[in-house]
Amino acid sequence: MRLLALLSLYLIACASLAQAALRNGPMLAHLEMREAQIWVQAEVASVVRVNYTATGSQTSHWSHPVETNASKGHTALVYLDKIEPGTRYDYRVELNGELVGPSASFATLDNYYERRPAPDFKFAVGGAHYAVEDGFEPPYRTLGGGYDIFSTIAGMEPAFMLWVGNTAHLRPADWSSQSGYLKRYAKARAVPQLGPLLQSIPHYATWGDSDYS
């Protein structure tokens, strides 16, 4: 009986860990002077919140909770509405009451309007991101690779990144079903070198033919 009880507790603990798993993200989706949007993808249905604090401050804030579901690949777009211009914030994702994944940071836009000249800035442009996946690649050529470019871009600290098409690069095995779409996009976001870049600057995109074929 005691062994059965211990086994039950172990299974409950494992289930809790599974529920708290972060599949992809966080990604800074959009940034304004007084609001930021954070995108995340959980492994299973989860309640997502983001905790965020101005760097050096003792006061932290929580976003409103967002529930994920399978129809949207367990993704969530979370709004941070207690931020102010010209400030750096540290943030972390919470799934089902448990903080998960890495701590990240971003800097809000400076309120320069009618106060001083507009600041100079630089941004990154990229596209044709192809994540290599075992069992799907042609044997005679390599379609992906060179992912260290994402680390190089992050190190240059651009203001934002513009993806100009083929951000996931769908293949015939993917575009015949919604679940195929979701799996392919999840794979593309999971490239390890991409993580720090997604977390730190806003990302915007146009679509190419391999994003929806």
Side-chain angles (χ1 to χ4, degrees):
M1 183 62 108
R2 179 173 182 147
L3 180 60
L4 183 60
L6 289 173
L7 179 59
S8 298
L9 289 173
Y10 173 76
L11 293 175
I12 291 171
C14 290
S16 177
L17 289 174
Q19 290 174 355
L22 186 65
R23 185 171 188 180
N24 278 314
M27 177 178 75
L28 185 57
H30 181 57
L31 183 63
E32 290 288 354
M33 293 184 187
R34 308 191 76 177
E35 183 179 272
Q37 299 175 18
I38 307 294
W39 176 93
V40 299
Q41 184 178 34
E43 286 283 3
V44 297
S46 304
V47 177
V48 182
R49 294 196 305 169
V50 172
N51 179 261
Y52 56 107
T53 307
T55 302
S57 172
Q58 300 298 315
T59 303
S60 66
H61 305 283
W62 287 94
S63 68
H64 296 293
V66 178
E67 295 186 24
T68 72
N69 60 73
S71 67
K72 295 184 178 180
H74 297 301
T75 61
L77 188 61
V78 181
Y79 292 78
L80 313 186
D81 57 8
K82 293 182 176 64
I83 65 174
E84 297 299 333
T87 307
R88 177 162 291 278
Y89 288 85
D90 303 307
Y91 71 97
R92 195 171 178 192
V93 175
E94 180 197 74
L95 297 183
N96 299 336
E98 180 181 354
L99 290 171
V100 297
S103 177
S105 66
F106 62 85
T108 54
L109 307 178
D110 186 30
N111 183 21
Y112 63 87
Y113 291 103
E114 299 189 66
R115 303 173 68 201
R116 49 188 166 269
D120 294 331
F121 67 93
K122 57 189 175 183
F123 65 95
V125 179
H129 172 38
Y130 188 100
V132 174
E133 194 169 1
D134 291 342
F136 290 91
E137 308 308 324
Y140 52 87
R141 59 179 174 151
T142 300
L143 297 175
Y147 304 125
D148 287 338
I149 186 63
F150 296 127
S151 302
T152 301
I153 294 172
M156 298 180 70
E157 299 183 344
F160 62 90
M161 183 160 180
L162 177 62
W163 297 77
V164 290
N166 301 342
T167 59
H169 208 109
L170 296 173
R171 306 150 306 187
D174 309 316
W175 67 55
S176 58
S177 65
Q178 183 185 26
S179 62
Y181 269 62
L182 296 175
K183 290 173 184 177
R184 185 57 179 161
Y185 273 93
K187 180 67 175 180
R189 297 295 176 272
V191 172
Q193 296 91 330
L194 185 55
L197 180 62
L198 294 179
Q199 296 164 17
S200 58
I201 61 171
H203 292 264
Y204 307 96
T206 61
W207 281 34
D209 59 341
S210 292
D211 284 317
Y212 61 88
S213 298

